[in-house]
Amino acid sequence: MAKIERMVPIVNPASIEEPPTTSPFEYTPIKTTVDGIRLLILEPAQDSTTLINCRLIQVTFAQKPKYEALSYTWGDETIRRKITIDGHDFTVAQNLFDALVHLQHRSEERVLWIDAICINQSDISEKNSQIGFMPFIYMRAKCVLVWLGIVNAPSEQESGGKASTVTWRSIEPDPVLRTLAANPYWRRVWIIQEVGLARKILVHYGTVQRKWSALIESFWSNSETRDSLPVKLQKQIDEKYEDGHTLQALIWNHRDSLCKEPRDHIYSFVGLGVDCQDGFPIDYVVQDLLGGQGIATAEDLARDISQSTQVGLGIGADQETESPSQPAKILVTARVSARIVHLGPTYQEIMSNFKAVTAWKASINRHLFPSEQPSAREESDQFLELLEDAEVEDLRIVESFDRDISVPKPQTPDCLLFADQNVRNFDEMQSDKFVEPEPTSTDPRLFLLGGVPDYGGESSGKVGLAPHKSRVGDYICLVHGTQKAIVVRKEEGKVRVIGTGAAAENRYKAEASKEDDVNTGKRFGTTKLTFINPENRLDLYVDIATAYQLMG
């Protein structure tokens, strides 16, 4: 049986006193030079009659703000309730007022994004601009809060205002479950985007909070609600990375959804349609490296590196090159994952600029085969979420080498030739007309891989961060036991090591890590390879310092 959490005592919004009249709240124009939004700070309530006091702040996406986004229906806007924002009067519709009452914490502030408050609804220019950000807003929210209004759940009258847990029947018809399934919220067109882009969803109705998955399971388990709108919505969410999730399909599947503006039947799907990612106009040195002198002998380092990278592949020193005048080299065996087919925005750009995000998503459609696109879309979303929590220290694994590290290869290794297969734009990359733009920043850049082989759970992801000296056509290689990916370039008679990057995990491993709440203290996953096929194996004999830099 599914359990429902009651987070707060039952509150009657009507019992909350109206705040004394003050001067009306006036918006400060939102900055347009950078992509940003307003956030509502909902102050804690001391008791069930505490006034609704809030503050509004402006933040940029580059600040990586942490907030929850509210998804709800505006309801009857003729019934207005007063709250205070920064000490001034502000009125909201009754349904939003009820949500604020029930979402208030008792001891801490809550940071929310709510369209009716955070967007100046009387400023058409701002409204048009902010609505364009809405896919980004819901995608970047740490949680989307679905508010279904005040619903009388069983035993509320008997609870006496105390927090409680209610067990729902999952087989017998439940009148409250039917009421929830028929809620007008499900017919609101914008929820398709708001819920579809969410990373995490919590459903609130009255004093009850439930996980989205638990509520959908309850609907599915009940014969009377199995074909309800929320169940159909979940099916759309399950397919959101697939090619069938086009704008036309979304409009047709949700043609009966409600909205105030007829144009919203198109605009509300733009952020979710896989064919709309181009956007849509909405107008409304060595000792220092090793840690100093005396930190370890060369033999110690060689042994440590070999132990950390061994996958039963005979890793060791290059005996042919070892001589008094030519230091021993370490064999680093890597698996060639795939070739970079596109370099996207920098880390800073993807965190701060909505247009950079849409351009990046559009590049997946342009540079990968249709069969590769669904997994790439999902891995991209997972990787961008991971990057939001990344600190400067985490990004140090992505670096371009400032010295020439080349490994002689008289003939092009088979592993690189193998990686060239199944690349959609291979001929374009080989063309004399192809010119790779010079990097304008030293920040890491997102990369997209084409033709990634399928090795099940050990498959590489198709996205990641590459050092700024990387180019389209470089290869991403993985080494067992390290978080770093190695970036190599094929040159005449040699393979050159460009630097190290961070490769995303494939979508199944990334989702499992997220669900299991794995916390190893490392932002990027450690590569674990149980085997390397001969056609994917690249042997790199490098000096000890370089090996340490590659593996450290």
Side-chain angles (χ1 to χ4, degrees), residues 371-388:
S371 60
E372 301 176 291
Q373 292 171 12
S375 59
R377 293 178 190 124
E378 186 170 0
E379 288 161 4
S380 174
D381 280 358
Q382 292 165 335
F383 193 64
L384 294 186
E385 182 179 359
L386 180 150
L387 289 181
E388 279 183 46

Side-chain angles (χ1 to χ4, degrees), residues 220-486:
W220 175 254
S221 300
N222 191 303
S223 60
E224 297 186 27
T225 57
R226 185 167 298 161
D227 293 325
S228 60
L229 288 175
V231 174
K232 294 178 181 178
L233 176 58
Q234 180 59 48
K235 292 178 181 178
Q236 288 286 319
I237 295 173
D238 292 339
E239 298 170 356
K240 69 178 181 178
Y241 295 111
E242 303 301 323
D243 291 327
H245 215 60
T246 61
L247 178 62
Q248 181 178 353
L250 287 167
I251 293 172
W252 175 257
N253 290 336
H254 300 280
R255 59 193 179 277
D256 295 326
S257 297
L258 302 177
C259 56
K260 293 177 64 176
E261 289 284 346
R263 290 173 296 179
D264 287 350
H265 270 293
I266 296 177
Y267 294 151
S268 59
F269 299 126
V270 169
L272 204 56
V274 297
D275 55 347
C276 299
Q277 300 302 344
D278 275 321
F280 195 90
I282 298 181
D283 51 352
Y284 16 75
V285 189
V286 174
Q287 284 187 347
D288 291 338
L289 173 67
L290 299 182
Q293 291 181 333
I295 187 171
T297 65
E299 291 78 11
D300 291 335
L301 291 171
R303 182 173 57 252
D304 290 343
I305 293 169
S306 295
Q307 288 174 349
S308 68
T309 62
Q310 188 167 1
V311 196
L313 298 171
I315 296 176
D318 182 2
Q319 300 298 327
E320 294 182 2
T321 63
E322 186 174 6
S323 69
S325 60
Q326 192 171 15
K329 292 188 176 182
I330 300 299
L331 169 58
V332 175
T333 297
R335 186 176 78 188
V336 178
S337 178
R339 201 170 190 186
I340 296 176
V341 296
H342 174 67
L343 284 167
T346 67
Y347 165 75
Q348 291 294 339
E349 290 169 340
I350 202 70
M351 287 293 101
S352 63
N353 190 307
F354 176 55
K355 290 184 178 179
V357 175
T358 57
W360 166 249
K361 291 191 172 187
S363 70
I364 294 175
N365 294 347
R366 286 197 298 268
H367 296 283
L368 296 184
F369 286 114
S371 60
E372 301 176 291
Q373 292 171 12
S375 59
R377 293 178 190 124
E378 186 170 0
E379 288 161 4
S380 174
D381 280 358
Q382 292 165 335
F383 193 64
L384 294 186
E385 182 179 359
L386 180 150
L387 289 181
E388 279 183 46
D389 293 323
E391 303 293 342
V392 174
E393 187 65 30
D394 298 318
L395 300 178
R396 293 181 190 269
I397 70 171
V398 184
E399 61 176 335
S400 293
F401 291 168
D402 56 4
R403 61 193 187 280
D404 185 6
I405 304 173
S406 299
V407 180
K409 299 285 183 182
Q411 295 181 330
T412 300
D414 290 341
C415 57
L416 302 187
L417 296 174
F418 183 79
D420 291 342
Q421 301 177 23
N422 302 318
V423 174
R424 180 175 179 176
N425 59 350
F426 177 75
D427 291 338
E428 178 185 343
M429 290 190 297
Q430 301 300 112
S431 171
D432 293 336
K433 297 180 180 180
F434 180 78
V435 178
E436 176 68 14
E438 289 294 325
T440 58
S441 168
T442 58
D443 288 337
R445 297 177 65 185
L446 287 171
F447 67 74
L448 189 63
L449 299 179
V452 176
D454 184 2
Y455 294 118
E458 288 194 1
S459 296
S460 166
K462 297 177 178 64
V463 301
L465 276 180
H468 74 280
K469 291 185 179 179
S470 301
R471 298 177 186 170
V472 169
D474 289 347
Y475 301 84
I476 296 294
C477 306
L478 304 180
V479 181
H480 178 75
T482 179
Q483 294 185 82
K484 297 179 178 180
I486 301 176

Side-chain angles (χ1 to χ4, degrees), residues 121-134:
Q121 299 295 324
S122 62
D123 185 333
I124 302 302
S125 177
E126 176 185 306
K127 188 175 178 180
N128 288 338
S129 174
Q130 289 288 295
I131 288 177
F133 288 150
M134 284 184 69

